[in-house]
Amino acid sequence: MPQDTHVTAPVTAPTPQAPPRPRTPLPASVLAVVGLALSVAAGIVVDGPTQWGLLPIGLYALLALLGMDIMVATVVAIASALLILMPAPAAAANILGESVGDQITMIGLIIVLGAGLAEVLRATGVAGQIVRAVMRVAGDRSRAAVTFGMMISCLILVAALGTLAGALAIAAPLLLPIAARMGFTRSATASTLFIGGCAGLALAPFAGSNIAIMDAAEVGYLQYVLYGAGPLAVLSLVLGLVVVPWMQRRTERDGDDFYSDDMFTDDGSSESAHSVRATAVFAVALLASVVYATVTSAGTAFPLLALPVLAMVTGFAGGLTPTETAEHIYRGAATLVNIFLMFWLLAVLFNAVNLIDPFTVVIESYGASLQDMGPFPFAVAISLLGWVGVPGATAAQVVLLDKLFGDIATSVGVGASTWVVVLLFASKADTYGPFPNANQFGALGLAQSTSLRNMLITGWCLLVPATVMYAVIMFVETR
C-alpha cells in the first residue's frame, strides 16, 4: 500500500518530546529559602497551635504565582508545614500514610477514573456523537454560546450530584471535545469548568455544607437560594461570559496551551450502530447515576463506583470486549497518574496544617471582641474569619462557626437571611481564593491544564465581585 505522508503523519509521527522543564525563577527560589527558614524558626520557638500555620499555605500560593513548578511548590509547602510542626519521624510517616485515604486524595483518584471514562467515550465514538449533538444546539459560530452552554452543563451536573470533582469528572469527557473543536485553550476551558461547577455547588440542595447552612440558619432551600446561592450562581454565569473570553485572549498566544489536533478526532466509527447504541446506553446510565446520587444524597465517594461502571457499560454497548474496555480505561487513567500524586501531596499539606491548628488560634484571638460590634460589622467579621478557615471547607466549618458565633449573631441582631450569607461566604469564598485549593486543582486536572496562576486569577475575578455583592446584601439586610 503506497504511503502518503500527509495521510499517515498523524498516526506514524513519533511522539513529540516534552518541552524542557522551565527553570525556577530566582524570586521564587529566594522566597522558598526564606519561607523554609521562617518555618524552622517558628518550629523551634512556638509549641502548640499557632498562626504560623498559615505560612505554608501563603507560601504555596506565592510560589505558584511566581512561576515555580506546581509539584515543587507543593513539596516546599509541605516541608514548611512539617518544619513548623516538627513531628517525630513516625508521626510524619503517619501523616503521609493517612493522607492516602484523605478526601482530597480521593478527588485525585476521581479525576484519574474520569480520564479512563474519557478514553472509553472516545474509543466507542460516544464523544463524537455528543459533540455533534451539543454543537447543533449551541452552534459553532459563537464562542459565547458554547461557553454559556458548557457552564450550564457543569452547573446542572454539579448541583444534581452535590460534589464538584465527581460531577466535573463526568462532564469533562463530554465538554473537552467541544472546547477542542472550538479552539479553546486549556486555561480557558479550566476557567469554564470551574466557574460553572462552583455555581452548581452553591446551588446543590444535597451538598453537606449547604445542608449545614440551612440547618444553622433555620431556613428552607428556597430562602437559601434567594439570599445566598442564587445571587452567586447568577453572578458567576454573567462574569463567566467575560472572564472566559478574556482568559482565552490572555493564553491563546501560547501555542502549548491548546489541545492537540488529534486528541478528539472522529475516525468515522461515531456513525456506526455500535456508537449510536453506546451513546444511548451511556445517556441512560448517566441519568440513572445522577438520579440515584440525588435521591440517596451520595457524596464524593459515589463517583469512585459510578465512573468505572459508566465506562464498562458504555464499552460493552460500543462493541468492546471486557478486556478491551479495561485496556482503554487503563490507558486513559495512566495519562493523569501525576494528578493523583499531586492530590496526595496536597492532602499531606492540608493535614499537616490542620495539626498546627492556626484557625483555632485566629478565632480565639479575635472572637471575644466581636460581641461589641453592630450586626453589619459582626457579619463581615465572621465572614472573613470563615474565609481564612480550612481550604475546601465543608459542613464541619459551618457547624463550628454557628456553634461559636450563632448565639452572638442573634444577640447583636443578625437575621436568618444575613446568617445564610455569612455562612455561605465563610464556607465557599476560599474555593475562589486567594490560596490554591482542591477544587481549583480539580478543574485544572480535568481540563488537562497546568497553569495554577491562571486558575488563581479566575478565582480572584469571581471573588472580588462576589465579596462586594455579599457585602451590599448584608448591609441592606442589617439596616
Side-chain angles (χ1 to χ4, degrees):
M1 180 177 181
Q3 186 174 6
D4 185 328
T5 56
H6 294 288
V7 174
T8 59
V11 177
T12 61
T15 303
Q17 296 182 352
R21 185 180 296 275
R23 297 179 60 184
T24 300
L26 180 59
S29 299
V30 172
L31 178 63
V33 172
V34 172
L36 293 177
L38 288 174
S39 301
V40 172
I44 295 174
V45 174
V46 180
D47 186 20
T50 171
Q51 295 184 47
W52 281 102
L54 298 175
L55 174 62
I57 300 176
L59 181 64
Y60 189 27
L62 290 175
L63 291 176
L65 287 173
L66 291 174
M68 178 175 281
D69 180 83
I70 297 176
M71 194 72 74
V72 177
T74 307
V75 173
V76 171
I78 291 174
S80 171
L82 293 178
L83 289 172
I84 295 173
L85 189 61
M86 288 197 173
N94 286 337
I95 296 174
L96 296 175
E98 292 173 359
S99 298
V100 174
D102 192 271
Q103 186 175 14
I104 295 175
T105 308
M106 185 188 304
I107 293 174
L109 181 56
I110 288 172
I111 292 174
V112 170
L113 293 176
L117 172 61
E119 179 63 27
V120 172
L121 294 181
R122 288 193 292 268
T124 56
V126 173
Q129 289 277 5
I130 295 175
V131 167
R132 283 190 293 273
V134 174
M135 295 301 288
R136 282 195 295 267
V137 175
D140 57 2
R141 293 184 299 273
S142 170
R143 278 183 175 173
V146 174
T147 299
F148 186 76
M150 291 172 63
M151 289 192 298
I152 288 293
S153 300
C154 294
L155 183 154
I156 294 173
L157 202 54
V158 172
L161 288 175
T163 168
L164 185 70
L168 291 186
I170 296 175
L174 314 181
L175 299 180
L176 261 60
I178 300 172
R181 294 282 182 90
M182 293 298 297
F184 283 100
T185 62
R186 298 172 191 263
S187 296
T189 304
S191 297
T192 305
L193 298 181
F194 180 74
I195 294 172
C198 288
L201 188 60
L203 292 170
F206 300 112
S209 59
N210 297 347
I211 293 175
I213 292 171
M214 288 183 275
D215 288 342
E218 298 181 354
V219 299
Y221 179 69
L222 291 180
Q223 190 173 356
Y224 163 76
V225 171
L226 178 63
Y227 290 103
L232 179 60
V234 173
L235 179 69
S236 298
L237 295 177
V238 172
L239 289 176
L241 295 176
V242 178
V243 174
V244 173
W246 175 78
M247 184 61 67
Q248 175 72 20
R249 294 191 299 270
R250 169 185 169 85
T251 57
E252 62 186 0
R253 292 187 296 271
D254 182 6
D256 293 336
D257 204 30
F258 286 96
Y259 297 101
S260 60
D261 293 336
D262 59 348
M263 183 175 293
F264 302 107
T265 54
D266 185 359
D267 59 5
S269 61
S270 55
E271 294 291 348
S272 68
H274 282 306
S275 66
V276 173
R277 182 173 65 247
T279 302
V281 170
F282 171 74
V284 172
L286 175 61
L287 179 61
S289 299
V290 172
V291 171
Y292 175 82
T294 302
V295 171
T296 61
S297 300
T300 304
F302 177 69
L304 295 176
L305 173 65
L307 291 170
V309 170
L310 285 171
M312 294 300 291
V313 298
T314 303
F316 296 160
L320 301 178
T321 66
T323 301
E324 291 172 339
T325 302
E327 289 176 350
H328 284 295
I329 294 174
Y330 172 78
R331 185 179 301 122
T335 62
L336 294 183
V337 171
N338 61 318
I339 296 296
F340 176 77
L341 177 60
M342 169 64 66
F343 273 76
W344 171 62
L345 292 176
L346 196 63
V348 173
L349 171 61
F350 289 158
N351 287 336
V353 170
N354 287 341
L355 291 175
I356 302 173
D357 199 14
F359 316 109
T360 299
V361 177
V362 171
I363 292 176
E364 290 178 349
S365 300
Y366 305 105
S369 61
L370 299 174
Q371 298 183 16
D372 299 328
M373 295 182 174
F376 177 66
F378 177 84
V380 172
I382 300 303
S383 299
L384 296 178
L385 277 177
W387 181 17
V388 300
V390 181
T394 60
Q397 187 187 12
V398 173
V399 173
L400 175 63
L401 288 174
D402 185 61
K403 285 183 178 181
L404 291 176
F405 303 110
D407 293 339
I408 302 176
T410 301
S411 65
V412 300
V414 175
S417 58
T418 305
W419 199 232
V420 167
V421 175
V422 170
L423 295 178
L424 179 68
F425 185 89
S427 61
K428 295 289 192 293
D430 56 358
T431 295
Y432 298 96
F435 304 127
N437 58 78
N439 287 330
Q440 292 182 353
F441 276 99
L444 270 179
L446 289 167
Q448 302 182 19
S449 173
T450 59
S451 180
L452 178 59
R453 179 186 306 182
N454 288 334
M455 178 54 65
L456 286 171
I457 292 173
T458 297
W460 297 339
C461 287
L462 295 174
L463 178 61
V464 173
T467 301
V468 174
M469 177 188 70
Y470 279 134
V472 171
I473 292 175
M474 288 189 294
F475 180 80
V476 173
E477 288 296 319
T478 53
R479 292 302 91 196

